[in-house]
Amino acid sequence: MTPKEVLEKWLQYFNEADSENIAELYAENAVNHQVANEPVIGKEAIKDMFKREFGSAEMVCIPENIFVDGEWAILEWKDPKEMRGCGFFHIQDGKIVFQRGYWDKLSFHRLYDIPLSIH
């Protein structure tokens, strides 16, 4: 799959809250770093992260722009509550090897009425 096709599948599985299939898009040692959180390393840990996240809020990712540059796919998104963010996906051989996401964690927790834990 091309980087754009991988990103389109990622969007489909994300919007279906499908942690099993979304995890299959990642390489075994992939890194998912949502900058508001610590990096999550490895396909299984990423699957567990999505399972927890999908269980905590009904999330929908509406693509506003998709850009592709070589092995990189870039997603600018919003959700139904008008929260916005962007994600950068490094894709090699049809698998996500690195993902970085930028979004406002405090706004997300407030919009979805999720307690913000402080460690």
Side-chain angles (χ1 to χ4, degrees), residues 1-115:
M1 284 191 289
T2 67
K4 185 175 183 184
E5 291 168 333
V6 171
L7 181 54
E8 288 169 342
K9 281 289 186 193
W10 186 93
L11 283 162
Q12 174 190 339
Y13 298 144
F14 185 93
N15 288 332
E16 293 171 354
D18 185 341
S19 58
E20 294 291 327
N21 279 317
I22 205 169
E24 289 304 314
L25 297 173
Y26 290 84
E28 286 299 322
N29 294 315
V31 175
N32 183 316
H33 185 194
Q34 303 303 302
V35 297
N37 300 320
E38 293 296 317
V40 178
I41 301 169
K43 181 196 281 192
E44 286 301 312
I46 291 169
K47 179 172 74 174
D48 292 343
M49 175 201 68
F50 278 116
K51 189 174 183 177
R52 279 191 314 276
E53 296 290 324
F54 292 149
S56 69
E58 186 177 329
M59 298 183 290
V60 175
C61 185
I62 302 165
E64 291 194 299
N65 290 297
I66 294 175
F67 305 96
V68 177
D69 184 15
E71 295 180 337
W72 288 86
I74 304 158
L75 170 67
E76 184 180 22
W77 59 266
K78 68 177 181 177
D79 75 0
K81 296 185 178 192
E82 297 298 320
M83 184 163 167
R84 288 187 152 70
C86 62
F88 295 81
F89 298 77
H90 188 192
I91 300 164
Q92 295 179 325
D93 300 319
K95 296 288 185 182
I96 300 165
V97 295
F98 180 77
Q99 177 185 353
R100 179 168 288 140
Y102 296 89
W103 48 278
D104 182 345
K105 186 174 185 173
L106 182 57
S107 295
F108 177 81
H109 282 256
R110 285 181 178 162
L111 281 170
Y112 290 91
D113 197 28
I114 301 170

